[in-house]
């Protein structure tokens, strides 16, 4: 006698011919968590952490025992589909008809369990997954396979300990770990366990199992050595789902650097972590069928691909975003990223129809704001269209300031507000905004773009050496970005380095062969400013066709 479980839309448990089984919200949640766990088995400790996280351990154990006993009673003859041991709760899928139908509504739609904060986090993550049926796998097997192969991209950064295997923390190690976690979380692509939770886990004897309870896929741990010569951190990144050590690396800084320059060691550690996770998601997106990737993995890979120098990889990013949106049309951030992709396609001279891309960008940004009026990326994307594709600086500035009202630390809004100041010939504000943006987002996958617009701001302020330095740094990451190549030409020409400027023009025209000075004056948002006209003259003098 099979138990039917419907997890999408309103939860439904029933036995065909016997009707619906009335369950409490926590019992519904228990069945859903176990059904969607690897192999249909979930540890008791994880269920306690998810559903009774605010209770002390003994009370949580007692509450779980009571809930399981009552659940078995309510299931009646179908209770044989569930087995509870001293350590785990398991479901026998031969005796369960598990229905995963995303078209029926959200996962566990309408469920409300006051005080179960960890369960709410779990539910949000699960709702981002692809639970749909594919042509290659039955629904249940596909769901379990996804869970086994590609978990959510969540990171736990444990406080770093003293070296020599000492089982104690150092205040510096704790501070470094906290700053690494903060920097990774600012990317808004990867979920990071709060440092308070990480600190609590590090004090437990079963730290790793505790991490598993939280659904973590990556764990960063390390040790600190302090000597008169400097500070060394030996850091390990673990793939917890596959129980593999991905890498162990050493990071070094001078003794006083963490206090004088807090990012001296943490930014590089965070950069290595972010690069590894993005690279793994990108490799999976190239090698695996798209239906085998979670929506979060698709987004991480798409963001990495859309900021790649390769035009082919940029186009692939569009395909990844399309797949993610096909699964879930109600994710505001996904819509905003798709809108940004259309703006970038025009900027990178890859658009066959710039007007259509401009309209698509505005449409996706507006859709995101309909879903979430506080979606900062959508406001920023809408401003991006107005400033860079329409030269409507007043509207763009209003959008950026609206985004910064919601999130004053949003790096891209700061950056683009600085670009608007440069286009309006206000160099001091342009430099201030772009430099703040670079400080706020040292790990952004489009760091080359931050350097590029910072170079534009410096160019506007007639700081040609600084502009050239930033442009060269940007081009070292993305040598195919047209606007950065233009900044390099202009800076070299304004520095009276004519031969170098002419060579830079050849590099520019190889990427943007249809560029003319007339086209620059008609299309570039800064072209009608006083500085813009000087820049157009510099392009002409360096050899750009008129």
């Amino acid at each position: 006698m099979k138990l039917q479980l419907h997890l999408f839309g309103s939860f439904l448990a029933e036995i065909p011919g016997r009707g619906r089984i009335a369950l409490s919200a926590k019992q519904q949640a228990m069945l859903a968590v176990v059904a969607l766990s690897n192999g249909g088995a979930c540890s008791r400790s994880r269920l306690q952490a998810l559903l009774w996280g605010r209770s002390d351990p003994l009370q949580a154990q007692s509450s779980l025992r009571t809930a399981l006993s009552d659940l078995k009673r309510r299931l009646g003859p179908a209770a044989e589909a569930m087995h509870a041991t001293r350590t785990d709760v398991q479901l026998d899928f031969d005796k369960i008809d598990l229905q995963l139908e995303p078209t029926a509504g959200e996962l566990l739609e309408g469920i409300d369990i006051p005080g179960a904060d960890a369960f709410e986090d779990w539910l949000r993550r699960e709702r981002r997954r692809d639970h749909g049926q594919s042509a290659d796998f039955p629904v249940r097997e596909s769901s379990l396979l996804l869970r086994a192969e590609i978990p959510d991209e969540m990171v736990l950064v444990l406080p770093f300990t003293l070296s020599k295997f000492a089982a104690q923390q150092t205040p510096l190690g704790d501070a470094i770990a906290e700053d690494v976690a903060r920097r990774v979380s600012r990317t808004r692509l990867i979920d990071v366990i709060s440092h308070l939770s990480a600190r609590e886990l590090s004090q437990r004897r079963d730290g790793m199992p505790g991490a598993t309870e939280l659904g973590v896929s990556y764990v960063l741990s390390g040790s600190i050595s302090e000597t008169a010569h400097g500070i060394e951190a030996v850091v390990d990144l673990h793939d917890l789902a596959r129980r593999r050590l991905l890498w162990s690396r050493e990071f070094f800084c001078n003794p006083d650097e963490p206090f004088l320059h807090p990012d001296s060691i943490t930014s590089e550690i965070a950069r290595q972590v972010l690069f590894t996770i993005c690279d793994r998601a990108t490799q999976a997106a190239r090698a695996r069928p798209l239906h085998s990737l979670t929506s979060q993995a698709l987004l991480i890979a798409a963001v990495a691909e859309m900021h790649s120098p390769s035009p082919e990889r940029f186009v692939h990013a569009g395909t990844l975003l399309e797949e993610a949106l096909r699964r879930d049309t109600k994710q505001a951030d996904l819509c905003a990223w798709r809108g940004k992709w259309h703006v970038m396609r025009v900027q990178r001279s890859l658009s066959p129809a710039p007007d259509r891309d401009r309209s698509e960008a505005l449409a996706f940004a507006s859709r995101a704001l309909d879903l979430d009026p506080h979606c900062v990326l959508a406001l920023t994307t809408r401003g991006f269209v107005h400033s860079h594709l329409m030269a409507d600086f007043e509207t763009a500035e209003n959008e950026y300031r609206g985004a910064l009202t919601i999130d004053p630390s949003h790096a891209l809004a700061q950056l683009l507000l600085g670009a608007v100041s440069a286009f309006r010939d206000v160099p001091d504000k342009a430099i201030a905004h772009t430099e703040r943006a670079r400080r706020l987002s040292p790990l952004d996958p489009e760091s080359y773009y931050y350097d590029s617009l910072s170079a534009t701001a410096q160019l506007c302020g007639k700081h040609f050496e600084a502009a050239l330095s930033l442009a060269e740094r940007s081009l070292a990451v993305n040598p195919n970005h047209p606007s950065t190549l233009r900044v390099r030409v202009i800076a070299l020409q304004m520095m009276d380095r004519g031969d170098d400027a002419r060579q830079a023009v050849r590099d520019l025209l190889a990427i943007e062969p249809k560029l003319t000075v007339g086209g620059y004056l008609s299309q570039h948002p800064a072209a009608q400013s006083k500085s813009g006209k000087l820049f157009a003259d510099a392009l002409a003098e360096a050899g750009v066709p008129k």
Side-chain angles (χ1 to χ4, degrees):
M1 185 174 295
K2 282 200 171 185
L3 171 67
Q4 282 196 357
L5 290 180
H6 298 259
L7 301 187
F8 283 82
S10 297
F11 177 93
L12 174 62
E14 64 179 350
I15 300 174
R18 296 201 175 194
R20 181 170 187 157
I21 301 171
L23 300 176
S24 70
K26 281 195 175 180
Q27 289 168 341
Q28 295 174 19
M30 286 165 55
L31 283 173
V33 170
V34 177
L36 297 178
S37 295
N38 287 339
C42 180
S43 68
R44 284 177 176 260
S45 58
R46 189 180 185 205
L47 287 172
Q48 289 164 198
L50 290 176
L51 295 167
W52 289 277
R54 294 189 181 184
S55 303
D56 64 68
L58 289 177
Q59 183 181 347
Q61 289 174 13
S62 176
S63 297
L64 176 60
R65 280 196 303 270
T66 301
L68 285 171
S69 176
D70 186 50
L71 176 58
K72 278 183 166 289
R73 181 182 59 79
R74 295 191 185 203
L75 291 176
E80 62 183 16
M82 185 177 75
H83 306 284
T85 69
R86 292 181 60 187
T87 58
D88 299 310
V89 178
Q90 303 172 1
L91 291 178
D92 183 350
F93 284 116
D94 290 333
K95 298 175 181 177
I96 292 178
D97 184 4
L98 182 61
Q99 299 294 317
L100 298 176
E101 301 170 336
T103 56
E106 282 194 320
L107 178 68
L108 300 181
E109 193 169 272
I111 196 168
D112 182 26
I113 304 178
D117 302 332
F119 172 74
E120 290 297 322
D121 291 340
W122 173 87
L123 185 57
R124 278 193 292 271
R125 294 196 302 272
E126 287 296 315
R127 284 173 174 172
R128 291 203 301 263
R129 294 186 189 275
D130 176 22
H131 295 275
Q133 185 169 8
S134 73
D136 300 318
F137 300 103
V139 171
R140 175 171 60 82
E141 292 177 7
S142 175
S143 174
L144 297 177
L145 178 66
L146 289 179
R147 228 152 240 87
E149 292 194 347
I150 307 177
D152 249 2
E153 310 300 329
M154 181 175 283
V155 179
L156 169 66
V157 183
L158 293 170
F160 296 170
T161 62
L162 291 171
S163 62
K164 304 300 181 184
F165 309 104
Q168 65 181 108
Q169 296 173 30
T170 168
L172 179 59
D174 186 76
I176 288 176
E178 183 175 16
D179 198 50
V180 170
R182 184 183 298 116
R183 290 174 183 279
V184 174
S185 70
R186 280 181 183 168
T187 65
R188 295 177 173 84
L189 291 174
I190 299 166
D191 294 328
V192 181
I193 295 292
S194 77
H195 187 64
L196 291 176
S197 298
R199 188 180 293 160
E200 182 180 337
L201 275 174
S202 72
Q203 294 170 354
R204 293 172 51 172
R205 304 299 293 181
D206 59 342
M208 282 300 187
T212 307
E213 293 165 15
L214 293 173
V216 170
S217 44
Y218 295 97
V219 172
L220 192 75
S221 61
S223 62
I224 297 290
S225 298
E226 296 183 72
T227 69
H229 302 291
I231 296 170
E232 182 183 38
V234 179
V235 182
D236 300 334
L237 181 64
H238 306 264
D239 180 341
L240 201 61
R242 298 171 180 83
R243 299 186 179 277
R244 290 173 53 198
L245 174 64
L246 296 179
W247 49 253
S248 181
R249 295 174 184 171
E250 297 180 358
F251 301 85
F252 183 84
C253 64
N254 293 324
D256 57 348
E257 279 191 64
F259 308 99
L260 298 177
H261 307 287
D263 65 346
S264 60
I265 193 167
T266 58
S267 61
E268 186 56 31
I269 296 172
R271 180 179 288 108
Q272 295 289 339
V273 171
L274 180 65
F275 174 82
T276 300
I277 295 174
C278 288
D279 184 61
R280 285 163 66 83
T282 302
Q283 294 297 329
R286 293 177 194 162
R288 298 174 181 267
L290 295 188
H291 68 252
S292 71
L293 304 179
T294 65
S295 294
Q296 188 184 17
L298 284 171
L299 177 58
I300 292 172
V303 172
E305 294 283 67
M306 70 191 285
H307 296 109
S308 163
S310 163
E312 293 77 16
R313 290 177 62 182
F314 178 84
V315 173
H316 185 224
T319 302
L320 298 176
L321 289 170
E322 283 179 4
E323 172 65 17
L325 280 168
R326 182 190 65 77
R327 301 178 187 182
D328 188 352
T329 60
K330 296 182 179 180
Q331 281 286 339
D333 281 348
L334 276 178
C335 293
W337 276 110
R338 181 62 177 173
K340 186 181 176 187
W341 182 87
H342 283 284
V343 182
M344 291 181 65
R345 182 154 74 156
V346 177
Q347 277 206 308
R348 293 184 60 166
S349 302
L350 297 173
S351 173
D355 288 341
R356 186 171 64 198
D357 273 307
R358 181 181 64 189
S359 298
E360 289 286 339
L362 287 173
F364 275 109
S366 297
R367 187 192 302 178
L369 289 168
D370 288 340
L371 293 167
D372 178 7
H374 295 96
C375 182
V376 177
L377 181 59
L379 287 167
T380 304
T381 297
R382 203 157 62 178
F384 204 0
V385 176
H386 284 286
S387 61
H388 285 66
L389 304 187
M390 300 171 68
D392 180 357
F393 302 138
E394 184 174 353
T395 301
E397 187 168 334
N398 288 336
E399 298 283 12
Y400 298 143
R401 293 198 182 281
L404 291 170
T405 298
I406 298 170
D407 181 0
S409 297
H410 195 266
L412 184 60
Q414 285 281 359
L415 180 75
L416 296 176
L417 186 58
V420 166
S421 297
F423 299 158
R424 285 179 153 179
D425 250 340
V426 189
D428 291 345
K429 286 186 176 180
I431 292 170
H433 283 302
T434 54
E435 288 302 301
R436 174 166 168 74
R438 291 173 64 227
R439 288 195 300 273
L440 285 171
S441 191
L443 303 180
D444 199 287
E446 56 179 330
S447 60
Y448 75 89
Y449 191 61
Y450 283 71
D451 288 338
S452 177
L453 287 190
S454 295
T456 299
Q458 296 289 348
L459 202 63
C460 178
K462 308 295 189 293
H463 305 304
F464 302 124
E465 288 188 9
L468 179 61
S469 176
L470 285 163
E472 296 284 9
R473 193 167 88 165
S474 176
L475 290 169
V477 178
N478 187 346
N480 299 331
H481 197 250
S483 66
T484 316
L485 290 164
R486 289 195 296 270
V487 169
R488 182 171 68 171
V489 170
I490 294 165
L492 288 167
Q493 187 62 36
M494 300 296 271
M495 293 167 67
D496 293 325
R497 292 174 55 180
D499 291 342
D500 293 332
R502 282 185 285 276
Q503 177 58 53
V505 166
R506 288 191 282 273
D507 296 338
L508 171 60
L509 293 178
I511 300 299
E512 201 173 12
K514 296 182 180 179
L515 175 67
T516 64
V517 175
Y520 173 83
L521 287 169
S522 65
Q523 295 174 14
H524 195 278
Q528 300 310 311
S529 68
K530 182 179 178 181
S531 292
K533 293 173 182 176
L534 289 174
F535 298 159
D537 291 341
L539 289 171
E541 291 168 7
V544 174
K546 294 188 177 180

